[in-house]
Amino acid sequence: MKTKKLNTKMESPKIPLDLTDKSALAMDIQSEDCIERGKFQDCYMDNKSLDRVTFDEVIFNNVNFSHSNFTNLELTDVIFDKCDLSNVDFSNSSIHRTVFRNCKLIGMDISESTLRNVLFTNCLGEFSNFRFANMKQVNIEDCTFSSTDYCYSTLKQVNFLRSNIDQAQYSGAKHDGLDFSTCEFSSLSINLDDLKGCSISKHQAHVFAGLLDLIIKDGDTME
């Protein structure tokens, strides 16, 4: 079986060195604001409800966004490091050249969003919602993304690496071949047709046997 080539063209966030500390303004951000060339650190943006906010060339370090609604958000050249985005609503957003690193993303809603050149690394993202998202050049590595919903999403050049994706849902997703071989899972919600082009390890074969009504037995030698 051919091994899927990993995405080597992913673009990293382009962030200047001379960022202004805007932490004191965190709770004053309003809908349709455009925040550029800034850094937010050790502050709170939780329980906010905003629409069409733009962040361009911004770093968030140890920022709490939990339970906030940032619908129709625009992120370009952004880094989230050690942030809490639990139960955040990022639906219908545009996310480009963005990194989520060491973040808590449990229950994050990123459905119907467009993601380009996005990296999730060492994040906790159980129960996240990517349904109907359009994702291209996205890496999910060393993460816990169990019970995550990718149904009816478009996944192109999306790599799942060394992550826990147990009970993730992929039914109806359009993809160019997904590689689950380095991931941990005991079950996935995926239709037989959606498995075409996917790569798995031989140790994971039993998970998909039920889709084919197969019974896997240990081979016994005849005496």
Side-chain angles (χ1 to χ4, degrees):
M1 180 181 294
K2 293 183 178 180
T3 301
K4 179 185 173 184
K5 293 182 179 180
L6 295 182
N7 175 9
T8 58
K9 298 181 179 179
M10 179 178 290
E11 298 179 29
S12 300
K14 300 176 181 179
I15 299 178
L17 297 176
D18 56 337
L19 295 179
T20 302
D21 189 346
K22 299 187 178 183
S23 304
L25 303 177
M27 292 303 293
D28 296 327
I29 296 173
Q30 302 296 318
S31 294
E32 301 187 13
D33 278 354
C34 180
I35 312 300
E36 298 177 311
R37 288 176 170 255
K39 183 174 183 178
F40 295 84
Q41 185 166 341
D42 302 325
C43 58
Y44 290 85
M45 295 188 188
D46 57 325
N47 295 293
K48 296 178 71 66
S49 184
L50 302 176
D51 187 57
R52 302 187 185 282
V53 176
T54 297
F55 292 106
D56 190 352
E57 299 180 342
V58 174
I59 293 178
F60 297 99
N61 184 263
N62 194 32
V63 178
N64 189 331
F65 292 86
S66 61
H67 299 280
S68 283
N69 296 328
F70 280 84
T71 52
N72 299 293
L73 179 69
E74 289 192 20
L75 299 174
T76 304
D77 297 317
V78 175
I79 295 176
F80 295 89
D81 188 19
K82 299 182 181 70
C83 294
D84 187 351
L85 296 107
S86 301
N87 299 303
V88 163
D89 186 351
F90 278 4
S91 60
N92 294 287
S93 295
S94 176
I95 304 174
H96 183 40
R97 290 198 302 271
T98 295
V99 171
F100 296 85
R101 182 171 58 222
N102 304 314
C103 291
K104 189 176 180 181
L105 313 174
I106 298 173
M108 179 180 67
D109 185 356
I110 204 165
S111 60
E112 300 185 74
S113 295
T114 298
L115 289 77
R116 297 289 186 270
N117 298 288
V118 177
L119 170 64
F120 297 89
T121 180
N122 199 31
C123 292
L124 297 176
E126 298 99 324
F127 304 104
S128 295
N129 181 11
F130 291 81
R131 185 172 284 229
F132 291 103
N134 188 311
M135 304 166 64
K136 183 177 180 181
Q137 295 180 312
V138 175
N139 278 9
I140 297 171
E141 57 185 45
D142 302 304
C143 292
T144 299
F145 266 34
S146 56
S147 301
T148 300
D149 188 350
Y150 303 94
C151 291
Y152 308 107
S153 57
T154 298
L155 308 173
K156 188 173 183 180
Q157 298 177 39
V158 175
N159 300 305
F160 295 89
L161 305 170
R162 304 174 304 278
S163 294
N164 184 333
I165 58 171
D166 191 37
Q167 300 185 53
Q169 301 177 51
Y170 295 91
S171 299
K174 299 178 181 179
H175 60 83
D176 56 356
L178 299 174
D179 190 343
F180 301 128
S181 62
T182 65
C183 293
E184 176 186 350
F185 57 90
S186 59
S187 66
L188 296 177
S189 177
I190 188 168
N191 297 327
L192 183 59
D193 288 342
D194 299 326
L195 275 174
K196 293 179 180 178
C198 292
S199 299
I200 60 174
S201 71
K202 62 180 181 180
H203 304 293
Q204 297 165 339
H206 70 281
V207 175
F208 301 98
L211 294 173
L212 298 170
D213 293 325
L214 296 178
I215 299 173
I216 298 177
K217 295 183 177 181
D218 292 330
D220 295 325
T221 56
M222 297 180 63
E223 296 183 355

